Amino acid sequence: MNKLNTEARAAILSSLVEGNSIASTCRMFSVNKVTVLRLLADAGTLAANWHELVVWDLQTKRVQVDEIWSFVNAKQKNVNPKNWGKGHGDTWTWVAMDADSKLVINWLVGGRDASYGNAFVADTAGRLANRVQLTSDGWQVYRKAIQEAFGTNIDYAMLVKQYANERTGAVRYSPAECIGATPSIIVGSPDEKHINTSFVERQNLTMRMGMRRFTRLTNGFSKRAENHKHAISLHYFNYNFIRRHQTIKTTPAVMAGVADRVWTMLDFVRLLEREEKLLGGRLTDYKASKP
């Protein structure tokens, strides 16, 4: 059976995390679309399970949370009735970030309702080793979810932003102008100078720039929910373990103490190939193991 070598696989994955689409990656490396999608699925599976293996017991002090919108196959209003229940339509990625190390603590892909919010916040709480200051936007789902997950063992504030009226015409695709933000202390005694969501919102921009699936007004959106999740998992592995953050001059994983070195995409592919060898095939229904 023909199989891509280690360097070719690393180059393809690097192309995907640098904002190239599946189609353009296929053209660049003269490979079949199925080959790239299978590699993405295996890499995304490994990335998600590796995160589950190592990102725990964090000595975090300040956490910021946010949600970023995207869609699968079609926007919610355009979903074909025969595709209801298949993961099509509006899709949200919940993100929690360590404001100091810039580590993405966890993420959850799904709806923007209380069930997903509760699961996301509970998972975040389980990864933290001590009391933290947490800031969210004004989405009311957070209030109850944080109360249930943390109780009173948290310093929590909301930052409610006010936006100008929606614009029309040629500029209607630009984000609405933020004209103010009101901090609201919900639990504990958060330090007011650290009540903000700027870092996690900047990370959301990195997502839109680093994944073609998140680029607005294109046909590069995800066609299948599974591939959407795999792409997000690969993106966050690259963000946490491989890509050096310009502010901290290393990777968030090293800064947070969950990695002892800066990874490369070749390191990641070698780990992937090691797991494939242990399993005797592709990565399906497995848990990653430490070296």
Side-chain angles (χ1 to χ4, degrees), residues 67-256:
E67 328 83 55
I68 181 171
W69 173 85
S70 57
F71 66 92
V72 173
N73 192 268
K75 294 179 181 178
Q76 195 66 39
K77 64 181 180 179
N78 298 325
V79 175
N80 192 311
K82 71 178 182 180
N83 291 325
W84 290 347
K86 296 182 179 180
H88 293 184
D90 292 353
T91 305
W92 293 83
T93 304
W94 302 71
V95 188
M97 168 180 273
D98 181 332
D100 297 308
S101 69
K102 307 301 184 288
L103 180 81
V104 170
I105 298 169
N106 73 317
W107 67 92
L108 181 64
V109 181
R112 200 182 180 220
D113 54 35
S115 62
Y116 281 97
N118 291 341
F120 166 70
V121 173
D123 186 32
T124 301
R127 297 175 188 272
L128 303 173
N130 44 255
R131 185 184 181 110
V132 299
Q133 174 169 332
L134 187 148
T135 307
S136 74
D137 59 21
W139 185 233
Q140 289 301 312
V141 165
Y142 284 117
R143 187 185 293 263
K144 185 175 180 180
I146 289 170
Q147 179 184 10
E148 292 183 355
F150 291 94
T152 58
N153 188 34
I154 191 171
D155 299 307
Y156 170 46
M158 279 185 168
L159 188 66
V160 182
K161 295 184 178 180
Q162 294 83 43
Y163 294 93
N165 292 334
E166 186 176 350
R167 293 176 289 178
T168 59
V171 296
R172 67 186 183 279
Y173 297 117
S174 301
E177 180 185 2
C178 180
I179 58 176
T182 304
S184 177
I185 296 175
I186 309 299
V187 179
S189 304
D191 186 343
E192 291 192 14
K193 69 180 180 181
H194 292 305
I195 298 176
N196 71 79
T197 55
S198 299
F199 297 129
V200 70
E201 288 172 357
R202 178 58 181 84
Q203 190 281 142
N204 287 346
L205 174 61
T206 301
M207 284 186 72
R208 293 213 179 273
M209 296 174 66
M211 276 188 286
R212 187 63 170 170
R213 299 164 187 271
F214 278 73
T215 305
R216 297 180 186 273
L217 304 177
T218 72
N219 62 356
F221 55 85
S222 294
K223 312 306 186 293
R224 296 181 61 207
E226 294 83 0
N227 291 337
H228 190 73
K229 293 177 182 178
H230 290 319
I232 291 171
S233 296
L234 178 61
H235 166 80
Y236 280 131
F237 186 94
N238 181 70
Y239 180 89
N240 278 341
F241 292 90
I242 297 175
R243 177 174 172 170
R244 292 178 185 267
H245 197 283
Q246 291 182 354
T247 301
I248 61 178
K249 310 304 180 186
T250 186
T251 63
V254 170
M255 190 71 176

Side-chain angles (χ1 to χ4, degrees), residues 37-50:
L37 288 174
R38 285 179 175 174
L39 177 58
L40 172 64
D42 289 347
T45 301
L46 174 63
N49 282 287
W50 187 261

Side-chain angles (χ1 to χ4, degrees), residues 26-87:
C26 291
R27 292 191 295 269
M28 289 165 61
F29 297 98
S30 300
V31 291
N32 186 272
K33 180 179 179 180
V34 174
T35 300
V36 175
L37 288 174
R38 285 179 175 174
L39 177 58
L40 172 64
D42 289 347
T45 301
L46 174 63
N49 282 287
W50 187 261
H51 186 91
E52 287 300 304
L53 186 67
V54 304
V55 183
W56 296 95
D57 197 32
L58 301 174
Q59 303 297 316
T60 303
K61 296 180 180 179
R62 295 184 291 126
V63 176
Q64 297 180 7
V65 296
D66 198 15
E67 328 83 55
I68 181 171
W69 173 85
S70 57
F71 66 92
V72 173
N73 192 268
K75 294 179 181 178
Q76 195 66 39
K77 64 181 180 179
N78 298 325
V79 175
N80 192 311
K82 71 178 182 180
N83 291 325
W84 290 347
K86 296 182 179 180

